Amino acid sequence: MKLQRKNRVRALSLGALAVTGALALTACGSDDTTGGGGGSSAKASDIKCEGKGKLLASGSSAQKNAMDAWVQAYAGACKDTEINYQPTGSGAGITTFLQGQTAFAGSDSALKPDEVSKSKQVCKGGQAVDLPMVGGPIAVGYNVPGVDNLVLDAPTLAKIFDSKITKWDDEAIKKLNPDAKLPDLKIQAFHRSDDSGTTDNFTKYLKGAAPADWKYEPSKKWEGANGQAASGSAGVSSQVKQTNGAISYFELSYATSNKIPTVKLNTGAKDPVEATVENASKAIAEAQQVGKGNDLALKLNYATKAEGAYPITLVTYEIVCDKGNKAETLPATKSFLTYVSSKDGQNALKELGYAPLPTEIAAKVRSAVASLS
């Protein structure tokens, strides 16, 4: 039975990559993502079912594959509850939540102060809080014929995505890759066309690790010069797959499923760091909690030089009211988020390329979920 459960989760994760619109299954989700959890889905007896009817949520596409796995396991146990998660992107998910249309939102970025203020109109007597639920590396995928091992650093990446470096045989890239046969080929840099938490985290890395070369403020909306755009992580990864000279950023699962090579980062550590779940976990372990109380927003160290720490890492949140949740959705919301933050829920993600929450953070999340009212 354990093997069967593992196969079901693996099959779901692969099928999820092909879905870009409304989910065919009842689904909970967020951004296209990548990252690690465990191997098998939870037993029905591991999930305590509460509430009935349909629970609507939307947002981050980065955590979409995680949500697919979570929803499959939850739906198998809780027949009276349908969880429908739309991977519309972090920005759209937050907007919908603040309009009172969804029970919770998925986001790859914590709420901004003005968004917290707006949430008080929806969360009667309370406000929205950020609950980290899963992490994972943002891979930088590329398509350069003849090059299957590429090292870049933050300043070079900033210049590439700001159209300051436009050829693959640029001297800056050659210096980082002395043994590579870099072609005289135009760089085709792709970014997200939609408001995206993945974009926000990627530009936080560029700003944090290469402030002299990335002059723009981090944002869900792409601010860099020129480049080409595509919708969602599925869109940009597809463009990289089919375009010679292309480069873009997306969750690791999109790179692995599409067999797209990924950049290793020269962070100043002894060796270049690869985008892996384990290396993302090392970066998340350095994060600081900047939220107060049950708001568990985290701040990552994008300029880390720790050995093996991959700094282009995102933490995806579920955004929910701490108080003032709708009576008709509160039981199912707490039930589902309790499972998602549980050991079983976190372990269900390891094969999907996500990084489970560190033990201490996961315990805080479970406590915050239990206190929702």
Side-chain angles (χ1 to χ4, degrees):
M1 291 299 293
K2 183 176 181 181
L3 179 59
Q4 292 174 348
R5 290 195 301 272
K6 181 178 289 187
N7 288 338
R8 284 199 298 271
V9 172
R10 181 183 293 113
L12 178 64
S13 69
L14 293 174
L17 295 174
V19 182
T20 56
L23 302 183
L25 298 173
T26 57
C28 233
S30 30
D31 239 284
D32 316 311
T33 162
T34 296
S40 59
S41 58
K43 300 175 183 177
S45 60
D46 294 332
I47 299 174
K48 183 179 180 181
C49 303
E50 299 286 351
K52 295 183 179 181
K54 181 178 291 188
L55 192 67
L56 300 179
S58 65
S60 162
S61 61
Q63 54 173 292
K64 172 190 174 301
N65 299 336
M67 277 292 181
D68 285 352
W70 285 329
V71 168
Q72 185 199 37
Y74 190 84
C78 304
K79 305 297 185 182
D80 294 331
T81 304
E82 177 187 353
I83 300 174
N84 189 303
Y85 182 89
Q86 300 293 322
T88 55
S90 297
I94 290 173
T95 296
T96 303
F97 173 78
L98 293 177
Q99 292 172 345
Q101 298 179 27
T102 51
F104 66 89
S107 178
D108 304 329
S109 300
L111 292 168
K112 292 181 170 56
D114 65 311
E115 293 171 332
V116 174
S117 296
K118 290 179 182 178
S119 75
K120 295 178 182 180
Q121 300 175 22
V122 176
C123 307
K124 303 302 182 182
Q127 66 180 45
V129 291
D130 304 284
L131 302 181
M133 209 59 77
V134 69
I138 300 173
V140 180
Y142 65 95
N143 182 344
V144 183
V147 180
D148 56 10
N149 187 10
L150 183 67
V151 177
L152 297 175
D153 58 14
T156 305
L157 276 171
K159 292 171 186 174
I160 286 173
F161 280 92
D162 199 28
S163 301
K164 298 295 194 301
I165 292 178
T166 59
K167 288 291 191 72
W168 280 109
D169 61 351
D170 187 274
E171 288 301 321
I173 302 177
K174 283 183 177 180
K175 186 176 180 180
L176 290 164
N177 300 273
D179 298 326
K181 295 181 179 179
L182 296 165
D184 178 11
L185 177 67
K186 182 180 178 181
I187 294 175
Q188 308 276 1
F190 285 88
H191 58 264
R192 292 277 290 270
S193 59
D194 51 320
D195 285 3
S196 162
T198 310
T199 294
D200 192 25
N201 281 274
F202 181 63
T203 54
K204 282 178 179 176
Y205 162 73
L206 295 178
K207 186 68 173 180
D213 298 292
W214 190 257
K215 302 297 186 181
Y216 313 96
E217 289 303 312
S219 173
K220 293 184 180 73
K221 182 178 180 180
W222 185 256
E223 302 289 350
N226 303 316
Q228 302 179 65
S231 179
S233 291
V236 291
S237 60
S238 176
Q239 289 297 327
V240 171
K241 179 72 172 180
Q242 66 191 23
T243 306
N244 280 351
I247 186 171
S248 190
Y249 55 93
F250 35 80
E251 294 73 34
L252 182 61
S253 60
Y254 288 86
T256 54
S257 64
N258 289 298
K259 295 181 172 58
I260 298 171
T262 61
V263 168
K264 294 179 181 177
L265 295 179
N266 181 336
T267 63
K270 180 180 178 181
D271 298 310
V273 184
E274 187 175 357
T276 67
V277 171
E278 294 77 15
N279 291 345
S281 293
K282 292 177 183 177
I284 294 173
E286 292 190 354
Q288 295 180 329
Q289 180 182 336
V290 293
K292 297 181 179 179
N294 283 336
D295 189 316
L296 303 178
L298 302 175
K299 182 178 180 180
L300 296 168
N301 178 11
Y302 294 103
T304 180
K305 295 182 180 180
E307 294 298 328
Y310 183 81
I312 317 181
T313 294
L314 59 76
V315 174
T316 64
Y317 300 91
E318 309 315 329
I319 293 170
V320 65
C321 295
D322 60 355
K323 298 178 182 178
N325 288 279
K326 294 179 181 178
E328 61 268 28
T329 60
L330 177 61
T333 298
K334 292 183 70 171
S335 170
F336 179 71
L337 294 182
T338 295
Y339 159 62
V340 165
S341 60
S342 72
K343 184 177 180 180
D344 288 323
Q346 291 291 302
N347 284 342
L349 303 179
K350 289 178 181 176
E351 289 188 352
L352 306 185
Y354 292 93
L357 296 174
T359 302
E360 182 179 347
I361 295 176
K364 291 182 179 180
V365 172
R366 288 192 285 271
S367 177
V369 170
S371 71
L372 298 179
S373 63

